[in-house]
Amino acid sequence: MYPDSLRDLIEGFKYLPGIGEKTAERLAFSLLDLPEEKLNFFVESIKTAHDKIHRCPICNHITDQDVCNICSDRLRDTSSLCVVEDSKNVFLFERLGIYHGLYHVLDGLISLIDGINPEDIGIDKLVERIKKGDFKEIILAVKPSIEGETTSLYIKKILEGLNLTISKIASGVPMGADMEYMDAMTLERALNDRKNIE
Amino acid sequence: MYPDSLRDLIEGFKYLPGIGEKTAERLAFSLLDLPEEKLNFFVESIKTAHDKIHRCPICNHITDQDVCNICSDRLRDTSSLCVVEDSKNVFLFERLGIYHGLYHVLDGLISLIDGINPEDIGIDKLVERIKKGDFKEIILAVKPSIEGETTSLYIKKILEGLNLTISKIASGVPMGADMEYMDAMTLERALNDRKNIE
């Protein structure tokens, strides 16, 4: 029904996760209406980003430099390493300005159900870096979920015997959230991890 | 905070209507993860669609042919012309298979508030086509809104004196909708346009 070239464009948008037929149609139509200049910028930005952006060889964070600007920043606290599952979380923490150590980005989380094993998410590279490095604390900042817990436990186990503090971020009811909207797992965790009021 | 080329990509996505910072970030990240082959298809589909797709010189519908496949279809009922505000509505009607006449696509609707006048939406081209053509009925299938009503009334007025039936699609409560979710304008219209039960 659609002209072939429009059909292709709609299919192209559908490659992006979370974009279904309806949204792809809407985006394709609006792209056709885009002025030449903006369209060219958009196409160029896709190609440039794809060509230039790669993983930092030290921490696996995405970057367009040889080494990412966090690893090459002399002012960071090099005694602390924060392990995240995704580059997005590095950007998030940096935006909030709540952490000043170094990062290590995994390629996702271990998942027994999906058959994702430690070697698939680059844990060997992480361990190698920690063994060669001079870290005092490893902070595991992964999602509190089955996969997150599995990954955290695996990393803790594999680092056993090294002179390191290994911590993980707290899990519980978020600030300002209504209790009744929390799932059972979150509430159970919040209860089990209760802290004495000082 | 983001690498420049990623920042540009995010800005590129924000050119598309309905895409804010958060969605643009999500789409940009997912684009980086796209396999080379899919990425190339996506980029090519944007360029091809932009180069090939234009307006049908007869009905103003988007097409990649010289004349669109509806205008060039000898089996359509050429006595009926359905006027829509947007090519999307042509695709919608065709998908549903509920209409077998010809179409004319306006470039939007008259809007006094936004300063969009009849000449801005191509009404002169519509009138010229109708005068030269052999239509028996003109169906105005535009959105029931202030702008839709204004546009319908204007077209009706300008076609006065021609030997034509001019109709507009019915407006009211959609099939299956709950009354309490309808706005006042819809309910008022539904009430005023009530039909005797035969």
Side-chain angles (χ1 to χ4, degrees), chain B residues 2-139:
Chain B
Y2 290 121
D4 286 346
S5 42
L6 180 56
R7 187 69 252 162
D8 280 352
L9 182 58
I10 293 168
E11 292 305 318
F13 271 113
K14 282 165 71 180
Y15 286 153
L16 302 174
I19 304 285
E21 177 72 20
K22 283 275 168 194
T23 309
E25 285 175 3
R26 187 175 61 77
L27 293 174
F29 275 107
S30 60
L31 202 82
L32 291 180
D33 288 339
L34 225 51
E36 187 85 25
E37 179 194 343
K38 289 193 171 184
L39 189 107
N40 290 341
F41 177 87
F42 182 53
V43 169
E44 281 313 307
S45 72
I46 295 174
K47 289 195 289 192
T48 309
H50 194 256
D51 290 347
K52 281 206 180 166
I53 291 180
H54 57 267
R55 298 297 181 148
C56 170
I58 299 172
C59 73
N60 199 41
H61 182 40
I62 60 174
T63 181
D64 54 7
Q65 312 292 313
D66 287 342
V67 166
C68 83
N69 57 357
I70 298 169
C71 285
S72 58
D73 182 351
R74 300 266 153 210
L75 297 176
R76 309 288 301 203
D77 172 6
T78 58
S79 71
S80 173
L81 186 70
C82 178
V83 179
V84 296
E85 65 192 84
D86 196 305
S87 264
K88 273 176 249 184
N89 295 324
V90 175
F91 291 122
L92 179 62
F93 281 29
E94 289 300 294
R95 179 156 53 218
L96 299 175
I98 51 179
Y99 175 74
H100 306 287
L102 298 174
Y103 294 95
H104 196 92
V105 179
L106 298 175
D107 293 320
L109 297 172
I110 299 171
S111 169
L112 302 177
I113 293 173
D114 295 329
I116 300 171
N117 299 312
E119 59 269 27
D120 298 324
I121 64 167
I123 287 191
D124 42 351
K125 241 186 104 185
L126 167 67
V127 172
E128 197 185 318
R129 180 175 177 203
I130 293 173
K131 283 185 174 163
K132 280 201 291 192
D134 201 22
F135 299 110
K136 288 192 178 67
E137 181 175 15
I138 310 296
I139 301 168

Side-chain angles (χ1 to χ4, degrees), chain A residues 1-6 8-9 11-13 15-19 22 25-27 29-36 38-39 41-43 45-50 52-53 55 62-64 69 87-88 91 94-95, chain B residues 1-6 8-9 11-13 15-19 22 25-27 29-36 38-39 41-43 45-50 52-53 55 62-64 69 87-88 91 94-95:
Chain A
M1 187 184 66
Y2 290 121
D4 286 347
S5 42
L6 181 56
D8 280 352
L9 181 57
E11 292 306 316
F13 271 113
Y15 286 154
L16 303 174
I19 305 284
K22 284 273 168 197
E25 286 176 2
R26 189 174 62 75
L27 293 175
F29 275 108
S30 60
L31 202 81
L32 291 180
D33 288 338
L34 225 51
E36 186 85 26
K38 287 192 172 183
L39 188 107
F41 177 87
F42 182 53
V43 169
S45 73
I46 294 173
K47 288 195 291 192
T48 309
H50 193 256
K52 281 204 179 167
I53 290 179
R55 299 295 181 150
I62 60 173
T63 182
D64 54 6
N69 57 358
S87 264
K88 275 177 246 186
F91 291 122
E94 289 300 292
R95 181 156 52 220
Chain B
M1 185 185 66
Y2 290 121
D4 286 346
S5 42
L6 180 56
D8 280 352
L9 182 58
E11 292 305 318
F13 271 113
Y15 286 153
L16 302 174
I19 304 285
K22 283 275 168 194
E25 285 175 3
R26 187 175 61 77
L27 293 174
F29 275 107
S30 60
L31 202 82
L32 291 180
D33 288 339
L34 225 51
E36 187 85 25
K38 289 193 171 184
L39 189 107
F41 177 87
F42 182 53
V43 169
S45 72
I46 295 174
K47 289 195 289 192
T48 309
H50 194 256
K52 281 206 180 166
I53 291 180
R55 298 297 181 148
I62 60 174
T63 181
D64 54 7
N69 57 357
S87 264
K88 273 176 249 184
F91 291 122
E94 289 300 294
R95 179 156 53 218

